Amino acid sequence: MTASRASAQSVDRLAPWAFAAFVEANTHETAYRPPVVDGPVGATIVRNGRELVNFASISFLDLERHVPVRRHFAEGALAHGLSTSGSRMTQGICRPHQVLEETIARHTGKERAISFATGLLANIGFVNAMSSSAHFDVGIEVRNRDTVFVVDRDVHWSIWKGLEGLGYGRNVHAFRHNDVVDLARILGRVRTRKTVVIAESIYSADGTMGPIVEILDECDRHGAISMIDDANGFMVYGPENRPYAREAAAIRERADFVMVSLSKAIGLEGGAIAGPAEAIDAFELLSGTSMFTAAIQPPTAYAAERTIEVLAGNPKIVDDYLAHAARLRQQMHDINTPTTPTESYMLSVPIGNDAAALQMREWFVEDGYLVPVFSYPAVARNQALLRLFPHAGHTEEQMDGFLRTLLTYRRRLGV
Ligand SMILES: Cc1ncc(COP(=O)(O)O)c(C=O)c1O
């Protein structure tokens, strides 16, 4: 069969899924064909051949300026190869994974850590592992299908994906975003010895820090296990001179489990769950997303471990970045453009009207800026936000240009 006949046949068979109608109706360009990026992504990005000042990069520290990440990556590739070439269970883990997992355990203050190809897989694996029932052999079994999860309504998609199929209202409950009273109300109603509370440190839509200390107090009061998704806070918050030192200390000292992502401050790819040794050992088998898929590539694991140590040993890198982000926040307030009330490095600018926010995004691209917009269904209808990541490599001129441009659009649209 020729390729075109095969493809015509596929189109016929796919008709019941109505993908063509979905793509046709969708006006969001990245939903069906993402723009193509050339060269490394940083303070600027070359998309479809055009250079834009980039406020979308989640690896925001401009690390290559301080750490020879690409050289570490090359060293790791030469010493350890490009792939693990097999599962952790059949072959074992590579040396860089072992060192990375020990490093993450140390920096999160937990006994042990297990790494995954992405943070998303770490979250799905955590939920799987805490709720699996499996019988392997006499004496080798777990019966945890009765676990009850109580999660902040705004936790990441990956947690919700893991919870799918567990029975909303029975084994899964959601509390209102950052609302500890609502969490306490639900925990008061749940009657089981196996309750897991999941919340995030910095939430990626609104940039807020969860009320971590109060959440952990409620977990203690009700005997619940806690898991904090620290994807956006790992290696950023902790030291006393930075915002959220109290929350970061609580995550380190009191949370049972913590999830970290290597795609944010570390600027690479991968994720991990850190926690008590006995549970992490069991997660090798029970998470599923560790055993049944590829691991982080060895050079990435190697470069990630080097980067974590450099960030820990040179606090000025993150201190300077946070000062830079705080300056942009202040400048926005000075031009009467309030951001959501949080001290985190993420800047969310409420716009409201979905159409106005999407129009702004297009104008920004025309004028040379890449500024992400969260609109429905990512957030409630007409609660659209611009969600920016200041980048450590942005120049004064780029920031000033952005602020002037934003102000012009707000006046033009009356928002
Ligand atoms: C809170 C949170 N959890 C998990 C993830 C997934 O992390 P990763 O990019 O490592 O898959 C993200 C990234 O978007 C996130 O913001």
Side-chain angles (χ1 to χ4, degrees):
M1 201 185 310
T2 64
S4 63
R5 264 192 57 210
S7 135
Q9 198 173 66
S10 304
V11 167
D12 273 356
R13 289 186 189 161
L14 279 170
W17 277 265
F19 290 141
F22 172 77
V23 169
E24 177 77 29
N26 204 326
T27 53
H28 181 346
E29 56 168 3
T30 55
Y32 51 94
R33 194 147 303 168
V36 177
V37 173
D38 286 302
V41 170
T44 57
I45 181 171
V46 178
R47 266 188 12 153
N48 289 348
R50 275 199 64 215
E51 186 173 51
L52 305 172
V53 180
N54 189 9
F55 286 93
S57 174
I58 55 168
S59 61
F60 41 79
L61 286 181
D62 203 16
L63 274 171
E64 196 66 38
R65 202 149 48 99
H66 310 279
V67 197
V69 186
R70 281 179 255 187
R71 202 186 72 218
H72 287 313
F73 188 91
E75 275 168 19
L78 289 173
H80 304 283
L82 292 181
S83 104
T84 51
S85 313
S87 143
R88 302 167 67 100
M89 298 307 283
T90 53
Q91 273 194 153
I93 60 171
C94 296
R95 181 70 62 199
H97 294 93
Q98 184 213 4
V99 180
L100 173 67
E101 289 170 6
E102 284 172 4
T103 304
I104 290 174
R106 192 158 22 85
H107 285 286
T108 52
K110 308 297 172 215
E111 267 183 320
R112 197 158 296 171
I114 174 171
S115 61
F116 298 81
T118 65
L120 175 144
L121 290 172
N123 273 346
I124 295 175
F126 174 79
V127 174
N128 265 346
M130 295 301 286
S131 59
S132 60
S133 283
H135 181 101
F136 297 94
D137 215 335
V138 179
I140 309 180
E141 61 174 351
V142 283
R143 297 264 170 265
N144 291 325
R145 204 66 188 164
D146 52 349
T147 297
V148 172
F149 293 89
V150 184
V151 307
D152 185 293
R153 197 169 60 188
D154 284 6
V155 288
H156 191 258
W157 180 88
S158 49
I159 294 290
W160 283 112
K161 189 67 196 165
L163 295 170
E164 216 171 67
L166 286 181
Y168 194 81
R170 195 182 59 237
N171 290 83
V172 179
H173 304 267
F175 59 96
R176 284 193 296 269
H177 181 43
N178 286 342
D179 186 338
V180 183
V181 174
D182 201 33
L183 167 65
R185 180 186 63 79
I186 296 171
L187 287 176
R189 276 199 343 232
V190 169
R191 303 246 166 270
T192 165
R193 283 178 51 238
K194 286 185 197 161
T195 306
V196 180
V197 172
I198 305 180
E200 287 181 19
S201 55
I202 305 288
Y203 285 83
S204 25
D206 62 9
T208 57
M209 166 64 88
I212 299 293
V213 175
E214 295 74 14
I215 287 175
L216 296 176
D217 288 346
E218 286 307 324
C219 289
D220 287 349
R221 209 163 285 140
H222 293 90
I225 288 289
S226 53
M227 191 284 220
I228 305 296
D229 173 339
D230 195 27
N232 297 306
F234 180 57
M235 299 311 292
V236 177
Y237 298 110
E240 287 286 330
N241 61 318
R242 297 183 192 160
Y244 307 126
R246 175 171 170 262
E247 287 81 356
I251 294 171
R252 195 183 150 76
E253 288 156 24
R254 295 180 55 200
D256 296 297
F257 292 96
V258 58
M259 174 274 192
V260 306
S261 165
L262 305 175
S263 72
K264 316 287 179 158
I266 308 304
L268 290 157
E269 274 155 14
I273 302 284
E278 63 176 54
I280 298 297
D281 286 349
F283 288 6
E284 292 277 356
L285 268 176
L286 301 179
S287 63
T289 52
S290 160
M291 186 172 58
F292 294 122
T293 186
I296 303 174
Q297 283 186 285
T300 304
Y302 180 80
E305 182 273 324
R306 293 284 74 224
T307 304
I308 292 171
E309 295 300 17
V310 170
L311 288 182
N314 299 273
K316 193 171 173 327
I317 299 172
V318 176
D319 287 344
D320 285 354
Y321 172 69
L322 291 178
H324 172 78
R327 215 161 32 243
L328 183 60
R329 184 184 293 283
Q330 185 56 49
Q331 286 167 336
M332 290 176 99
H333 288 222
D334 292 346
I335 59 163
N336 240 340
T337 298
T339 53
T340 49
T342 159
E343 284 184 276
S344 81
Y345 57 89
M346 282 184 209
L347 302 183
S348 293
V349 185
I351 299 296
N353 185 280
D354 286 337
L358 294 171
Q359 174 66 75
M360 270 193 184
R361 187 182 58 196
E362 274 175 36
W363 284 341
F364 268 125
V365 171
E366 281 163 23
D367 286 331
Y369 299 91
L370 179 58
V371 178
V373 164
F374 280 21
S375 59
Y376 180 80
V379 290
R381 234 179 253 285
N382 291 320
Q383 301 282 318
L385 304 160
L386 307 182
R387 208 286 308 273
L388 339 167
F389 286 93
H391 192 277
H394 283 148
T395 62
E396 293 277 326
E397 202 188 339
Q398 289 168 335
M399 311 263 267
D400 289 349
F402 163 73
L403 289 169
R404 268 198 314 276
T405 310
L406 173 61
L407 203 54
T408 314
Y409 299 165
R410 289 195 48 223
R411 289 200 184 118
R412 205 184 290 164
L413 290 165
V415 291

